[in-house]
């Protein structure tokens, strides 16, 4: 299976750290987010790792170029979103593709869960998300989004703001896989380029659902972290120091 890391964004909420480096090179513990990902993707047996860069591309590929099968550059990273980055790698759409946001880290076991799933399309969701969100945010619902699924783990809804915790059966972590037929549908999707360029991945997933493309949810309980702000970074690194433990995945479990 191919994998693709979407790493074009500027990471404005992590400034001033991201004044000089892209978001994916921010460190948790002793490694950057990107190096955590590369390590655990490789441990899961994924050899074909690709990346879409944008902001501070030179910092990403320096000393790491050999680790990527292909490097794509989103030159319009300042004005586009993730689906635009994904479409730049459409030559990978011939087979199943594991897609990862670049501002998350996750255990190898979570990657294995996706790889071992027999479902054509699947996303990882954390059903124990509130434990982490309550540490990250004074009001956890300010950042959480809707997500619901049925008894057969078919995704029903995702990615809307809500003030009702009952609308949230889990949080999508930014790690997923789609098969080549689903990706082919995206390649032929009849949406104006202006709209397509500004779609987030959750927007795309809702389009898939609207077109009766089945997507399964694979539930986990923690074992991952998202870095979206300076407060996240401070929280995690202080907790690692407090526990005197470089096993970052053990914090807030």
């Amino acid at each position: 299976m191919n994998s693709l890391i979407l790493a074009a964004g500027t990471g404005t909420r992590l400034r001033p750290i991201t004044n000089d480096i892209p978001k994916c090179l921010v460190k948790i513990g002793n490694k950057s987010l990107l190096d955590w990902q590369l390590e655990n993707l490789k441990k899961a047996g994924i050899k074909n790792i690709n990346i879409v860069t944008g902001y501070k591309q030179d910092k990403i590929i320096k000393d790491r170029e050999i680790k990527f099968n292909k490097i794509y550059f989103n030159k319009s990273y300042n004005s586009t979103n993730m689906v635009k980055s994904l479409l730049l790698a459409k030559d990978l759409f011939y087979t199943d593709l594991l897609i990862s946001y670049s501002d998350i880290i996750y255990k190898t076991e979570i990657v294995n869960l996706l790889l071992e799933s027999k479902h054509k399309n699947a996303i990882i969701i954390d059903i124990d998300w509130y434990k982490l969100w309550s540490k990250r945010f004074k009001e956890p619902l300010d950042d959480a989004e809707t997500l619901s699924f049925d008894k057969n783990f078919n995704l029903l809804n995702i990615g809307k703001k809500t003030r009702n915790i009952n609308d949230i059966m889990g949080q999508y972590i930014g790690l997923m896989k789609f098969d080549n037929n689903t990706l082919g549908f995206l390649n032929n999707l009849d949406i104006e380029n202006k709209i397509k360029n500004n779609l987030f991945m959750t927007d795309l997933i809702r389009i898939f659902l609207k077109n009766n493309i089945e997507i399964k949810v694979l539930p986990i309980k923690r074992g991952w972290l998202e870095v979206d702000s300076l407060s996240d970074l401070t929280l995690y690194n202080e907790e690692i120091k407090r526990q005197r433990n470089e096993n970052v995945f053990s914090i807030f479990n």
Side-chain angles (χ1 to χ4, degrees), residues 51 72 140 153 185 250:
I51 191 168
Y72 305 88
F153 298 95
F185 171 85
S250 70

Side-chain angles (χ1 to χ4, degrees), residues 9-246:
T10 57
T12 55
R13 283 181 283 189
L14 280 161
R15 287 179 177 165
I17 296 174
T18 50
N19 285 344
D20 299 312
I21 58 172
K23 190 176 186 179
C24 64
L25 295 188
V26 170
K27 285 189 174 182
I28 293 184
N30 61 355
K31 283 193 282 285
S32 71
L33 301 179
L34 182 58
D35 287 334
W36 279 113
Q37 287 196 12
L38 289 170
E39 178 180 296
N40 287 295
L41 289 170
K42 288 178 179 178
K43 282 182 179 178
I46 296 179
K47 297 179 181 179
N48 193 343
I49 302 174
N50 308 275
I51 191 168
V52 184
T53 64
Y55 178 69
K56 301 289 183 183
Q57 166 184 250
D58 58 318
K59 298 292 181 69
I60 293 176
I61 62 177
K62 183 181 180 182
D63 301 325
R64 293 181 181 83
E65 189 167 5
I66 196 170
K67 297 183 179 181
F68 299 110
N69 182 56
K70 288 187 177 181
I71 299 171
Y72 305 88
F73 178 58
N74 182 354
K75 63 182 179 181
S76 54
Y77 62 84
N78 262 325
S79 58
T80 60
N81 288 323
M82 286 188 175
V83 172
K84 170 65 175 180
S85 290
L86 176 59
L87 285 167
L88 292 174
K90 61 185 178 181
D91 60 307
L92 299 178
F93 291 2
Y94 67 90
T95 187
D96 295 354
L97 184 63
L98 185 148
I99 302 166
S100 175
Y101 290 5
S102 65
D103 61 354
I104 59 174
I105 61 173
Y106 34 78
K107 288 182 176 180
T108 306
E109 290 85 349
I110 295 176
V111 182
N112 287 333
L113 187 62
L114 267 179
L115 297 181
E116 294 166 6
S117 169
K118 295 179 181 179
H119 303 304
K120 294 179 179 179
N121 306 303
I123 65 171
I124 299 291
I125 67 165
D126 186 359
I127 57 175
D128 206 18
W129 64 277
Y130 195 84
K131 187 179 294 183
L132 176 60
W133 258 244
S134 64
K135 298 284 188 181
R136 295 175 64 202
F137 306 103
K138 184 176 180 180
E139 296 293 340
L141 291 183
D142 286 348
D143 186 77
E145 296 180 335
T146 60
L147 190 147
S148 60
F149 55 92
D150 65 20
K151 64 181 180 180
N152 295 314
F153 298 95
N154 294 301
L155 181 66
L156 301 175
N157 180 40
I158 190 172
K160 297 290 188 180
K161 290 296 181 182
T162 182
R163 300 306 303 173
N164 186 350
I165 197 169
N166 294 322
D167 294 333
I168 307 171
M169 297 174 69
Q171 278 296 291
Y172 154 75
I173 78 167
L175 187 65
M176 69 217 85
K177 74 168 184 178
F178 299 124
D179 76 349
N180 63 317
N181 290 323
T182 300
L183 293 167
F185 171 85
L186 166 61
N187 201 29
N188 297 314
L189 195 58
D190 186 21
I191 293 181
E192 292 180 37
N193 283 335
K194 184 177 179 181
I195 297 174
K196 193 181 289 187
N197 287 347
N198 288 287
L199 289 176
F200 293 98
M201 287 302 296
T202 48
D203 296 322
L204 178 61
I205 291 170
R206 287 197 301 272
I207 290 172
F208 286 160
L209 294 176
K210 188 176 180 180
N211 284 273
N212 299 313
I213 294 174
E214 183 180 272
I215 299 174
K216 296 286 186 176
V217 300
L218 302 178
I220 60 170
K221 289 187 175 181
R222 307 296 310 111
W224 73 287
L225 294 171
E226 175 187 35
V227 180
D228 195 47
S229 66
L230 287 173
S231 60
D232 282 340
L233 194 61
T234 300
L235 175 68
Y236 302 153
N237 282 324
E238 285 184 352
E239 188 66 15
I240 290 168
K241 186 182 294 186
R242 187 185 70 81
Q243 293 185 11
R244 297 180 182 178
N245 186 357
E246 283 297 328

